[in-house]
Amino acid sequence: MRTALRTSAVTVALAGAMLLPAAGAAFAAPAANPQSASAPASAPASDNSRYEGEPVSIGEGLVAVLRNRAEGPEAWIREVGPRWKPGDDYMVRVVTKLDRTLPHDRAKGLDLELTKAASARPVLVVTAADGSATSYPLPAGEAGTDCRVGPVGQEMGAGMSAELYLSELGPKVLLFEAGDGGRSFARLDRTHPSLPESAGFLARIVNPSGARPVFEWKTQGGNDTVGRVAFPAFPEGCGPNYAFTDDKPVTKPSTPAATTTPAPVKPRTARGPAVLATAPTTSSCTPISWADMPARRGGAESTP
């Protein structure tokens, strides 16, 4: 069952939502051509300067491209294969990107963390499955304010877990599944706050642009309850770079029924006893027959 849910979630994410390595609005995933795919659409095909940096092999066929320029510290994790050596091309498939807003992720059994992210000299720490850790200093840059909070771990049941983050860009959730190599398979944020129904399970951020965002999930069917956990608060002196906008239910004002004053009733002047006609109390009701009434259908039960 979990395999089917996993396949459905990934299929949907590939269709346009949240599969990593989407790493913020400024990140555009490269296409198949390793030489020109990483360049922005408006730049010449040969201009990879936005994505070039200091490549270092971190094992498992991965290279970390270390940068610390105007965008702040970045570690682009790219898959290059086990035979890569310094001097070889590294502008190939992006696995994930670490920066001040998302300083932690996992890939191919490696735990990746951008430490000292707010300082002028950040360090990428790579921890292998056996617990051994290797540090890779980034180039020196300008210090920044670290307003991020996380990761905050949350078990979801059915072999799934989540990590919650909060930064000036808003709330963010990474979704993980046991047995998937420790790599997050989907991400929720203010742009894509929810997995679609076709994913097979519920995972969403409620009030993604509000002052008190909440993560909700439901991985089991039937009467299993919906799990809820609030995101942590911003550190003192920090705040979002957007205006708070809480989700509000859409309500329609009720319209009172139209009423009319009955007209005076006059007796008939025809032969025979007088007959009084009964005037309607309203003019908005039109008599219809049962044959015109549609069959009543029970409403479908909605998923919270």
Side-chain angles (χ1 to χ4, degrees):
M1 174 180 178
R2 296 302 315 136
T3 301
L5 295 182
R6 171 71 172 84
T7 303
S8 176
V10 173
T11 301
V12 171
L14 286 173
M18 306 149 279
L19 245 188
L20 285 177
F27 166 58
N33 188 336
Q35 296 296 329
S36 61
S38 293
S42 59
S46 59
D47 183 10
N48 289 321
S49 58
R50 168 63 183 89
Y51 304 97
E52 291 176 342
E54 178 186 342
V56 292
S57 176
I58 60 175
E60 302 298 331
L62 300 176
V63 158
V65 182
L66 308 177
R67 295 170 45 88
N68 197 357
R69 303 181 187 176
E71 299 82 10
E74 298 176 338
W76 292 74
I77 311 303
R78 296 177 179 267
E79 186 172 28
V80 294
R83 297 183 180 180
W84 186 90
K85 60 184 182 299
D88 291 348
D89 178 42
Y90 57 83
M91 303 298 281
V92 290
R93 189 176 78 86
V94 175
V95 176
T96 187
K97 185 191 83 169
L98 306 181
D99 56 19
R100 283 173 176 159
T101 65
L102 184 65
H104 177 258
D105 204 348
R106 305 168 190 166
K108 291 194 172 182
L110 300 178
D111 188 90
L112 312 169
E113 184 174 7
L114 185 62
T115 63
K116 304 179 182 178
S119 71
R121 296 181 178 274
V123 177
L124 173 66
V125 178
V126 179
T127 304
D130 61 3
S132 60
T134 306
S135 297
Y136 302 91
L138 273 68
E142 295 184 3
T145 302
D146 189 0
C147 286
R148 64 178 177 84
V149 182
V152 177
Q154 178 62 55
E155 293 297 325
M156 301 169 59
M160 298 189 63
S161 62
E163 288 182 355
L164 279 62
Y165 295 85
L166 186 70
S167 72
E168 64 272 17
L169 299 179
K172 187 178 302 182
V173 178
L174 298 183
L175 300 176
F176 298 88
E177 185 174 20
D180 198 29
R183 178 188 174 191
S184 55
F185 70 86
R187 186 187 74 172
L188 309 179
D189 53 25
R190 291 176 58 231
T191 304
H192 299 104
S194 175
L195 290 179
E197 293 182 1
S198 56
F201 61 98
L202 174 70
R204 65 189 178 194
I205 302 175
V206 180
N207 269 343
S209 297
R212 295 178 177 83
V214 174
F215 175 53
E216 289 188 346
W217 70 92
K218 183 179 179 181
T219 55
Q220 304 285 358
N223 296 324
D224 190 54
T225 58
V226 175
R228 294 181 177 89
V229 62
F231 281 81
F234 279 103
E236 185 177 357
C238 294
N241 61 3
Y242 54 91
F244 285 141
T245 304
D246 288 337
D247 294 341
K248 296 181 179 179
V250 178
T251 58
K252 295 182 179 179
S254 58
T255 303
T259 59
T260 60
T261 302
V265 179
K266 297 182 179 180
R268 294 179 58 185
T269 58
R271 296 179 180 178
V275 178
L276 299 181
T278 303
T281 58
T282 67
S283 62
S284 61
C285 298
T286 303
I288 59 175
S289 66
W290 285 106
D292 297 327
M293 294 287 288
R296 180 173 179 178
R297 299 178 181 176
E301 183 179 355
S302 59
T303 301

